[in-house]
Amino acid sequence: MPKKVVSIVVFPGSNCDRDLDIAVQKYMNVNTELVWHDDPNIKNQEMIFIPGGFSFGDYLRSGALATKSPAMKEVIRLSKKGVPIIGICNGFQILTECKLLDGALIDNCKRLFICKENFVKIENKNTPFTKNIHKNVVQFPIAHAQGRFYTSEDNLKRLEDNNQIVFKYSSRDGKINKSENPNGSMNNIAGIINKNKNILGLMPHPERAVNFSEDNDGISFFRGLQNLL
Amino acid sequence: MIKINKRIVSEHGISEDEFKLIKEILQREPNLLELGIFSVMWSEHCSYKSTKKWLKTLPTSGEKVICGPGENAGIIDIGDNEAIVFKMESHNHPSFIEPYQGAATGVGGIMRDVFTMGARPIANLNSLRFGSPKHPKTKQLLSGVIKGIGDYGNCVGIPTVGGECDFHESYNNNILVNAMCIGLVKKNKIFYSIAKGSGNPIIYVGAKTGRDGIHGATMASAEFDDHSEDSRPQVQVGDPFMEKLLLESCQELMKEDAIIAIQDMGAAGLTSSSFEMASKGSCGVKLFLDKVPCREDKMTPYEMMLSETQERMLMVIKPSKIKSTLRVFKKWGLEAAEIGVITKTGNMEIFFNNSLVGNLPIKPLADSSPEYDRPSEKPFIKFKKENHKNFSIKSALIKIISSPNHSSKKWIYHQYDRSVMCDTYFSSEQSDSAVIRVHNSSKAIAVTCDCNPIYCNSDPKLGAEIGVAESWRNLIASGAEPIAITDNLNFGNPEKKEIMYQIKEAIKGIKTACEALNYPVVSGNVSLYNETKNKSIFPTPVIGGVGVIKNISRSKGLRMNEGDKIFIVGNSHGHLELSEFNRICNKNYGSPPPLDLKEEIKNGTFVRNFMKKHNSIVTGCHDISEGGIILALAELAIRNEKGLNIKIPSNVKNSKNWLFGEDQSRYLLIVNNEDIIKKVAKKENIKLQEIATVGGDKFCIIKKFEISVKKLIKYNNIWFENFIET
C-alpha cells in the first residue's frame, strides 16, 4: 500500500518546516507535501501541519500576515470539515490569528526570546493528538519571543470546562507552578485544542525532540498521531 | 560638478600620498564618485593596508584546505564530498553606536559571506567584549547586542550555539562584536566570486538600496571621539526576513546551473562587490545605475555605489538562465534587476542617465591599493599601583565563579535559538566547543571562539599563541580533530608604533602556533582603530577554531557520572601571574604562562587517541584554562549538578598556586576505569594525576573546605541576574 501523504504549509520565513518534515516522515511513516503559501489548493487532506518560524518576518504581529495567504484560507475551510490540523510555535500563533483557536500569544513576560528545554504536562490525554502518548510529562524545547498564552477570564474558564487545555508547562514530575512557567502564560498553558478536537496548537517543539536518542519524547508524539490517519 | 579639493580628499580618509597615487593611476583628477570609490576600496577595512604585509606570512594551506583567505569565506574538506565554509567578522564600531542593529547586521553579513559560497549556514557563534559592568553604558550595550544577535539568527532559523562574552574596562568606549558562521556545502557545489564571460549579465537581488551605511567601511577605519554617536546614520538596519528569503532563493537557484559568480554586498556595498568580482576574473564591468532598485528618491550615483544597505547580492548569470533566475526570485518575493554586464575592457564604467559618470581601471585600483610597513615599537606597560588583597581558596573560588566573566551566561544563551535545525549536539555551555551534527550523518563539526586579551596585552605574541592553542585544546576536548581557524584581529590605531607592535607580534604568535599545530588560517578579518579618545582596547586577536568528529558518539562534552574518577593530563607548575586568581587579588602584572607547543601536541594527541580508542571509558573531558584546575572542576560540578571529592596530591607544596595556576596544555579527563588510563599514560610517558572522584552533593577539597553544589550554582547564577534586573 502506498504511504499516506500529509501536508505542511510553508510560508516565506517559516524555518521549522524542514525539521518538521523529517520528523513527520520518519515517525508517522507517511510522505509529505510541502504546500507553498500562495497555493489555494491543498490536495492531501489527511492532516495539515503549520510549522514554526517567522512567517513574513512576523513584522505585524506573529502570525498575522500569514492568515491572509491563499493556503491558509483553504486550511480554514478544511478545518470546518474536521481535517486534523496541528500548528507548532508560529503555527500556533497563526491558528489563533485565524481564530481557529482561542486566545492570543503575546510577548513573553520578560519581553525576551527564550530557548530552553522544558517539561510539559499532558493535561488532557483524551484527545486524538495525545491519547497514544504513554508518559504524563514530556520534554520538548521551546524557542519563542511571543508565546505567552492570553485570553479573557471567561474564555479561560470555557477552555478549562471543555477540557481544551492539552499541554501545560510543568516541572519534571508534573508540578504546575509559577517557577516552571517560562513565559508568563495564563495557567502555564502551552497548548490547546478547539472545541471539535480537530485542531491543536502548541508552543513547544516536538519536532526538535526526536534526535540523538530513541527515548526522546517527540518520537512518541509523532508516532501517536498515526492513529488519526 | 563638485571640484575636488584638499578638504574633500581628507574627508574621504585619503592621505596626500594616496591621492597622488590615484592621480597617477587615472592620469587625471578623479571626480567625486571616483574619489568615493577609491576611499572605500582603499580603506583599512577593505584593503588591509596596515596588516597585509604581515597577514601574508600566515600558514593558509593544508591537506584539507579547499579555499584559503581572499574569498568570501574559507573552506575545509570534511570528507564524503562535503565541506565546511566558515569565517568570523567584526561589527565593533556600528555595535557601539547602535548595539541592536550593529550586532544584528554583523550576524547577517557573516551569514551572507557563508551562503554566498553555496553553503547552508548550520551554526552561528559570537565573541563579545564589553566594558566594565560599572560603566554606565555597559548594560544597555549588552542588552542591545544580545537581542540583536538573537533576533537576527532566530528569525533566519540558524542556531546560535556558542561563543564568549567578557567584560573589561579597556572596552568601555569600544566594545567588540565578532560574529562567526559555519556552513555546510557539497564539495562540487561551491560557488566563487570570480566574474567571467564578456556579455554576461550582472543581476542585483535583495533589499532596495537606500542611503543607510554610506561610508560604513570608512567609519570602521577611524577612531572614535565624542561625536561618534552622530554617525548613527552610517549604521545599517538589518532585515532578517529578507536574509531568509535571500538564503532560500540562492539555495534554490544554486541547484540550477545558472550562477557564474556571486558576491554579497557587504562593506562598501555595490562598489566592493563589483570591483572584487571583476578583479578576480580580470574582466571589465558596465554598470547602469538607473536600473538599481532604490528605496529612496533622487539617489545619486555616489550614494548608490557607496550605500551599505544590507541583504543584497550581486551575481553574474548565464544569459540563457536569466528567465529562470528571475522566476526563482519572484517566487520568493524578491526584487531582482539586471544592472550591468561583464566586458573585456578591464574597466569599471558607470553609467547614469545615459552618460558615463565614472570610469576606473579595475586591476590597478584593486592591486595597487597601498600596503604599509608601519613602524612599531614595544610599548612600556605601566601597572597601576593597587593594594593587594588576599583570599582563602574557598572565597577566591566563590569570587571567581560569581564574577562577570565566569558567572553563568544563561541570560545570554537563553535568548539564542540553539535547537532549530535539529543538529545541535552540544551548545557551548555543555562542552568546550559547540558540536553540530552534519545533517543526515554520524559526523559532526566542533567549533569554538577563544582569546585572552589580558595575556595578549602583556605579551601579544605569547597571548596569541595561547589563543590558538586553547582553541585547538577545546576542539580536542570535544572529541574532534582540529582542522583550521578563522581569525578576527581587533586592535587600536595602527599608525601608533606600540599598536603596530601588538599587531605584528600577535600575527607572529598565530603563525608560530598554527604552523606547529598544523592548523592553518583559512579566513579572517581585521578590525583596527578600536580606540576612543586616544585610548586603545587591549589587543584582542580572536581565534575561531573548527574541527571534525568522525563519529558523534565520541563527543562527550562536560559530562560526569557518579563514581567516575577525574584525572589531570599535563604538567601543573602553578603559574599565577595574570591568572584570574591574581587579578581578583589586584595583582595585574606579570607574564602569561609559558606555552610549549611540543607538549601541547603531545598531551592533545594523547587525549584525542584515548577518547577514540577507549570511547566507552571516557565520560567527559574539559580543558583547564582561566581559573586553573579548581575552576575547571567547579564548572563540571555546576554543569552536572553533582558533587566532587577533590584530593590535592601530597607532593603539592603550595595548594593555592597549584589549584589556581593557569599552566597551559592541560585537560581534565573524566573516566569510569582508572586502571586503563593509568596504563596508557604511563606507556606514552604522559603526566597524569588523579584529582577527584564524582559523588555526593558537595564540592569538597579534602582537608581544605566544602560547599554544597547547590550553593555553587547559586553563586554562579547570581551576578547576571542582579546585573540585568537592577
Side-chain angles (χ1 to χ4, degrees), chain A residues 3 20 26 29 43-44 59 62 64-65 87 97 110 122 130-131 139-140 173 183 190 193-195 209 222 225 227:
Chain A
K3 281 186 186 174
L20 183 62
K26 193 164 174 190
N29 192 29
K43 278 204 303 284
N44 298 291
Y59 279 143
S62 296
L65 292 169
E97 283 286 340
K110 288 192 176 169
I122 303 170
T130 50
K131 66 179 180 196
Q139 190 178 356
F140 294 155
D173 52 3
N183 56 19
I193 48 170
N194 64 338
K195 214 175 158 190
F222 287 105
L225 296 176
N227 73 303

Side-chain angles (χ1 to χ4, degrees), chain A residues 15 18-19 59 115 208 211, chain B residues 239 414 417 419 421 437:
Chain A
N15 65 25
R18 184 190 78 165
D19 304 343
Y59 279 143
C115 172
R208 296 189 190 181
N211 287 281
Chain B
D239 179 353
H414 274 177
D417 192 337
S419 52
M421 292 183 89
R437 177 177 62 179

Side-chain angles (χ1 to χ4, degrees), chain B residues 57-76:
Chain B
T57 64
L58 291 171
T60 58
S61 57
E63 202 190 323
K64 295 200 169 133
V65 178
I66 295 175
C67 173
E71 265 291 343
N72 282 299
I75 309 182
I76 55 167

Side-chain angles (χ1 to χ4, degrees), chain B residues 8-43:
Chain B
I8 293 180
V9 172
S10 97
E11 275 174 3
H12 279 79
I14 289 174
S15 72
E16 279 179 34
D17 286 344
E18 286 168 359
F19 190 60
K20 247 190 234 160
L21 187 60
I22 290 172
K23 286 190 286 189
E24 264 171 44
I25 291 173
L26 293 182
Q27 301 284 314
R28 61 176 166 85
E29 294 253 331
N31 63 31
L32 185 65
L33 168 66
E34 292 166 337
L35 185 74
I37 289 174
F38 269 102
S39 89
V40 290
M41 288 298 288
W42 286 6
S43 69

Side-chain angles (χ1 to χ4, degrees), chain B residues 240-490:
Chain B
F241 175 56
M242 180 67 82
E243 178 104 339
K244 170 74 174 165
L245 300 180
L246 264 184
L247 164 64
E248 297 304 335
S249 59
C250 284
Q251 291 266 317
E252 195 169 319
L253 189 59
M254 282 159 171
K255 282 184 199 144
E256 302 186 18
D257 187 26
I259 301 172
I260 295 169
I262 173 167
Q263 169 96 30
D264 87 295
M265 290 188 234
L270 187 52
T271 294
S272 75
S273 56
S274 57
F275 270 89
E276 278 170 29
M277 281 210 286
S279 160
K280 281 177 193 156
S282 303
C283 49
V285 165
K286 270 186 189 167
L287 285 182
F288 305 102
L289 296 184
D290 309 80
K291 294 191 178 161
V292 171
C294 285
R295 199 174 60 212
E296 295 169 61
D297 271 353
K298 293 185 182 150
M299 285 191 62
T300 64
Y302 181 92
E303 290 168 327
M304 284 186 231
M305 287 305 287
L306 299 190
S307 160
E308 291 193 356
T309 296
Q310 299 288 293
E311 293 95 17
R312 301 178 300 162
M313 288 276 189
L314 201 62
M315 42 188 97
V316 181
I317 296 288
K318 285 185 181 163
S320 59
K321 296 282 181 177
I322 282 271
K323 263 194 189 160
S324 55
T325 301
L326 296 177
R327 195 175 55 231
V328 169
F329 291 133
K330 192 170 172 223
K331 172 187 160 186
W332 290 95
L334 289 172
E335 184 126 9
E338 194 178 328
I339 65 159
V341 64
I342 300 293
T343 66
K344 285 181 192 157
T345 60
N347 282 4
M348 175 72 63
E349 297 164 88
I350 302 168
F351 293 89
F352 187 63
N353 284 341
N354 295 323
S355 57
L356 185 66
V357 292
N359 190 357
L360 296 165
I362 290 167
K363 268 274 169 192
L365 193 150
D367 292 350
S368 46
S369 65
E371 177 179 317
Y372 295 129
D373 182 359
R374 297 193 190 275
S376 63
E377 193 179 285
K378 189 172 179 175
F380 175 73
I381 303 173
K382 258 196 298 188
F383 294 107
K384 263 193 277 177
K385 270 207 174 149
E386 283 166 300
N387 290 334
H388 294 172
K389 291 183 198 165
N390 212 354
F391 288 94
S392 70
I393 294 174
K394 183 179 174 183
S395 54
L397 173 66
I398 288 169
K399 176 106 178 148
I400 293 173
I401 59 162
S402 55
S403 70
N405 288 351
H406 293 286
S407 63
S408 165
K409 302 289 193 304
K410 217 181 271 177
W411 182 82
I412 295 180
Y413 62 74
H414 274 177
Q415 294 186 54
Y416 299 155
D417 192 337
R418 306 179 307 288
S419 52
V420 66
M421 292 183 89
C422 293
D423 288 314
T424 308
Y425 194 62
F426 290 130
S427 48
S428 68
E429 77 278 6
Q430 301 169 307
S431 166
D432 283 351
S433 32
V435 175
I436 316 298
R437 177 177 62 179
V438 174
H439 198 65
N440 252 337
S441 83
S442 57
K443 269 189 305 190
I445 303 302
V447 53
T448 170
C449 295
D450 299 282
C451 181
N452 184 326
I454 307 290
Y455 291 176
C456 292
N457 188 53
S458 154
D459 183 340
K461 177 167 183 283
L462 179 54
E465 271 182 56
I466 289 175
V468 174
E470 194 186 340
S471 84
W472 193 80
R473 210 177 301 141
N474 281 332
L475 297 177
I476 298 254
S478 303
E481 176 195 0
I483 304 288
I485 67 161
T486 178
D487 58 3
N488 203 139
L489 310 177
N490 306 278

Side-chain angles (χ1 to χ4, degrees), chain A residues 111-179:
Chain A
R111 302 182 68 89
L112 296 173
F113 190 94
I114 180 155
C115 172
K116 64 193 271 270
E117 286 292 328
N118 227 103
F119 291 99
V120 182
K121 188 178 178 209
I122 303 170
E123 279 287 290
N124 183 354
K125 282 203 153 188
N126 192 23
T127 79
F129 304 103
T130 50
K131 66 179 180 196
N132 291 329
I133 305 176
H134 297 300
K135 288 186 186 171
N136 295 323
V137 178
V138 289
Q139 190 178 356
F140 294 155
I142 55 165
H144 56 248
Q146 276 126 21
R148 180 182 186 183
F149 184 82
Y150 186 83
T151 192
S152 68
E153 289 293 335
D154 289 351
N155 265 337
L156 185 66
K157 190 171 178 305
R158 217 181 48 227
L159 286 172
E160 275 179 348
D161 292 348
N162 293 338
N163 289 322
Q164 282 174 254
I165 297 164
V166 182
F167 295 111
K168 280 186 177 179
Y169 301 110
S170 75
S171 65
R172 185 187 289 269
D173 52 3
K175 287 204 184 78
I176 289 159
N177 51 41
K178 247 189 176 170
S179 65

